[in-house]
Amino acid sequence: MSRLSGRVVATTRDGAPDDPLTEKLRAEGAKVLVWPTLSFEAPHDSEPIERARRNVRAGAYDWVVVTSARAVEPLGRGDDVPEGVGVAAVGAATASVLRGWGWRVDVTGTSDARALIEAVSDEAVLDGARVLFPAGSLAGDTIEEEMTSLGACVDRVEAYRTVARPPERRSVRADLGRGVDAVAFASPSAVRALVATLSPEWPGALGRAGVAAIGPSTTRTLTDSGVDEGRIATAVPPGLDGLVDACVSCIEQGKGAVS
């Protein structure tokens, strides 16, 4: 029997029909409810990312640090990136997408942005390094703040815009009323969007649903929003496969709210 057979799991990504998280959950036997919380759009001004793309190929950077798979396509193919440019990815899923676009990945972090910085600093001296950080519009400041503190010159460039689109309140409340075993959060932005939908009843409106987070930064956003840390199962390692495992874990361990 599949691990999620007969279970109901709600996802909070962009609602794409071919969403790999939905496919992975269904492969485990889950009934999947889709609560789209986000959409992803091109930057209002495309010149900065286009200029960064040219500069990478001209060898203007020592490192390219990628913390989201969605930033890869705006960077284009990496086949012609000079050998001397190091490439770092925040996790295995992002590294896989980079390789699919022809990029050589030199360092893969095991969890969040801080772990990635530690992994890069173990491989190279960052003092004086020129770093390109192609980021989503809502990405945190950890990469540029901590790499700058190590002496790097970080060029943060918007690769895409993350637009919060809180799902329709009535639909979400109806789903919760019928019974949801786990809610899977794949980003801090998704947490904030669902909080906006369910406030002022958040997090109580989640009822007995377990809570699964794709990584430490998403877990921190959940706890900051009022969700008890003991209720959250965090993906290990961060990524979609780990998030599916976290859904299984939070259900098996009874991490839903206490009634």
Side-chain angles (χ1 to χ4, degrees), residues 73-97:
E73 184 174 355
L75 286 173
R77 293 201 59 80
D79 310 79
D80 55 350
V81 172
E83 283 289 330
V85 179
V87 180
V90 79
T94 301
S96 178
V97 174

Side-chain angles (χ1 to χ4, degrees), residues 4 7-12 35 176 179-185 194 202-213 222 227-234 243 246-258:
L4 292 171
R7 299 294 192 170
V8 179
V9 179
T11 66
T12 57
W35 298 341
L176 288 166
V180 175
D181 294 295
V183 182
F185 291 93
L194 198 62
W202 175 273
L206 292 176
R208 295 188 60 82
V211 179
L222 282 162
V227 179
D228 186 272
E229 187 173 5
R231 182 179 180 176
I232 304 167
T234 305
L243 184 54
C247 289
V248 174
S249 176
C250 72
I251 291 171
E252 291 180 344
Q253 296 178 24
K255 287 181 176 288
V258 177

Side-chain angles (χ1 to χ4, degrees), residues 79-230:
D79 310 79
D80 55 350
V81 172
E83 283 289 330
V85 179
V87 180
V90 79
T94 301
S96 178
V97 174
L98 278 162
R99 293 189 182 102
W101 279 77
W103 290 78
R104 179 195 67 259
V105 179
D106 301 287
V107 175
T108 302
T110 57
S111 55
D112 57 6
R114 287 186 175 85
L116 180 58
I117 293 167
E118 290 178 5
V120 173
S121 61
D122 285 343
E123 294 291 325
V125 176
L126 290 174
D127 189 17
R130 300 159 300 173
V131 178
L132 171 63
F133 175 36
S137 59
L138 298 183
D141 298 328
T142 301
I143 292 294
E144 58 261 52
E145 288 182 353
E146 299 210 1
M147 282 195 155
T148 298
S149 73
L150 294 172
C153 178
V154 181
D155 184 11
R156 174 175 175 149
V157 178
E158 185 177 292
Y160 63 92
R161 289 188 300 122
T162 304
V163 181
R165 302 197 183 282
E168 201 276 318
R169 178 184 177 88
R170 182 178 300 177
S171 175
V172 171
R173 290 303 301 267
D175 286 340
L176 288 166
R178 286 188 289 267
V180 175
D181 294 295
V183 182
F185 291 93
S187 69
S189 301
V191 176
R192 290 188 285 268
L194 198 62
V195 170
T197 291
L198 293 176
S199 289
E201 290 84 13
W202 175 273
L206 292 176
R208 295 188 60 82
V211 179
I214 198 168
S217 61
T218 301
T219 295
R220 284 194 293 271
T221 304
L222 282 162
T223 57
D224 288 348
S225 75
V227 179
D228 186 272
E229 187 173 5

